[in-house]
Amino acid sequence: MNPPSTNQQPTTASEAQPLAGVKVIEICSTIAGPACGRLLADFGADVIKIEPPQGDPVRQMGSHVGDISLYAASILRNKRSVVIDLKSEQGCRLALALIAGADIVLENNRPGVLERLGLGYEQVSAQHPGIIFVRISGYGQDGPYAQRPGYGAICEAVGGVRHMTGDPDRPPARVALATTDYLTSVYAAFGAMGALRSRDRTGLGQVVDVALYETAFTQLEPLVPAYQKLNKIPMRVGPNLPSMAPNSLYPTRDNNYLLIAANSNATFERLLKLMDRLDLLQDTRFCSIRARGQKPNMTDLDAIISAWTRQYDAVELEQMIIAVQVPVSRVYTIADIFDDPHYQARGMIANVPHPQLESVAQVGIVPRLSATPGSIRFTGPDLGADTVSVLRGELGIDDKTIEDLLREGVISAGN
C-alpha cells in the first residue's frame, strides 16, 4: 500500500482563502468540469477528485514530459485525487459517503448517469438537503437534446459561435483553444457561489444546471434582439469587430500585424492625429461611430489605415500608437508572453514545484482578490495519490478495509 500523499494537505494559506471550509467532490472529465474545480480549488475549496481506474482523460491530453501530463499538472492543481471504480457497488457506496460530507458535487456526466449509480441529486438531497449539485453538460439537464453527447466545439456550432468565427469567404473556423469549456467553468463557479449564498439563508441546496451550448450562446447577446427586430443574420467578418471600426488587424512593414482598436470618437481622433489625417473627421463615412461601422465605410477605412501601417515595423509602430493612448497590440505568441514584462510583474506565469519535473509553468490566479487572494498550493497530483489518505481521513476507514478494497480493485492508490 502506498503511504498517504504528503503534499495534498490543507495549508495555513488555504485556510485564509475565501472558499476555505468548502468541500467539493468532483466527478468530472476533460475540460469544463475540471477547470471549474480548479477555479474553486485555487480559492481554497478542498476539491476531492474521484477518478476512474484509468484516470481522467485529461491526463492523456496535451503535451507530456515522458509519462507526465503537463495539462493535468495544471488543471488538476490544488485537488486531491482519489481513484474509485464507480462501476462497482462498493465504489458507489464510498462515493456516496464522501458526498455526504461535502458542500458541492461538481459533475459533467451526461444527464442520468449519476442517477443510475444512486448518486443523483434527488437521491442525495433526500438525506442531505444542503447539498449543491453543479451539473455541466452539453445541452442541459432537460429538453429534447439533453441526451446528446456534446463537447465545447460541438456546442459552439449549436450556440451560433462557430458561424461567426473566421473569414467571410471561408468555412467557419475555430479557435484552437477550449474557449467555451473555460467560459462554462466560470459560469458554473458563479452558479456554485450563488447557490452557497442562498444556502446561507435557507439551509437548502439546489441544482446548478450549466449547458455548454448556452454558454456559447450568451456571447451572441447583441445579435438576439437584432434578429428579432431587424431579421439580421450577421456573417463572419474575419479580423474585424462587427459594426465597429477601426478595430482590426493591420499589416506592418516587417510582415507582422497590429491589432488596433480605436472605437470611440476621441480615440479615433488621436489615431488620426498620429497618422496626420485629421481631415478624415470631416468625411461623412468616418465622422461617427455608427458611420464607421457600416460595411463599405469600414472597408474603406481599413484600407487607409493599412496603407499607413505598412510604412513601419511592428514594434516601432506599436510604441508610437501606445504613446497616443490608442489601444493596440502585436499578436502575441506563447513565446512573446513568456518574455513580456507585464505578465511577469503580475505573476501570470507561475512556476509551481513538481515532484518529478522540479517546477512546471502554469497560468496564474484569476481573478485577483485584494484581501483573500487565491493561491497555487501544489501541482496536479498523480492518479490516485490521495486515495488512502482521503479514505482514512474523511471516512475513517481502517487499514485492513483499505487493503481489501485495493486488492478487489474497488480503489487504486496510484503507482
Side-chain angles (χ1 to χ4, degrees), residues 163-187:
H163 173 73
M164 297 297 298
T165 307
D167 294 311
D169 58 344
R170 296 186 180 184
R174 71 175 296 169
V175 178
L177 298 166
T179 52
T180 293
D181 289 282
Y182 278 94
L183 181 55
T184 298
S185 75
V186 177
Y187 277 122

Side-chain angles (χ1 to χ4, degrees), residues 101-252:
D103 300 286
I104 296 171
V105 174
L106 172 62
E107 65 105 357
N108 65 350
N109 301 277
R110 204 180 303 186
V113 168
L114 290 192
E115 280 71 16
R116 290 193 292 273
L117 297 174
L119 303 175
Y121 173 73
E122 298 296 338
Q123 294 151 310
V124 174
S125 64
Q127 298 298 320
H128 307 286
I131 195 72
I132 294 165
F133 267 55
V134 178
R135 316 196 78 165
I136 299 172
S137 62
Y139 299 94
Q141 298 299 307
D142 53 22
Y145 298 167
Q147 290 301 316
R148 288 187 183 182
Y151 288 110
I154 300 299
C155 291
E156 286 172 4
V158 176
V161 170
R162 189 61 67 90
H163 173 73
M164 297 297 298
T165 307
D167 294 311
D169 58 344
R170 296 186 180 184
R174 71 175 296 169
V175 178
L177 298 166
T179 52
T180 293
D181 289 282
Y182 278 94
L183 181 55
T184 298
S185 75
V186 177
Y187 277 122
F190 178 77
M193 296 303 96
L196 283 173
R197 184 70 181 92
S198 175
R199 193 181 70 176
D200 289 342
R201 298 193 301 270
T202 68
L204 299 176
Q206 59 184 294
V207 172
V208 179
D209 182 356
V210 191
L212 290 163
Y213 90 97
E214 290 169 357
T215 292
F217 177 62
T218 61
Q219 299 173 79
L220 273 62
E221 185 169 3
L223 308 187
V224 172
Y227 175 73
Q228 181 203 32
K229 297 299 184 184
L230 303 172
N231 203 35
K232 281 189 174 181
I233 302 179
M235 278 296 295
R236 294 176 292 284
V237 293
N240 294 83
L241 180 66
S243 303
M244 187 66 67
N247 192 313
S248 188
L249 289 175
Y250 300 95
T252 59

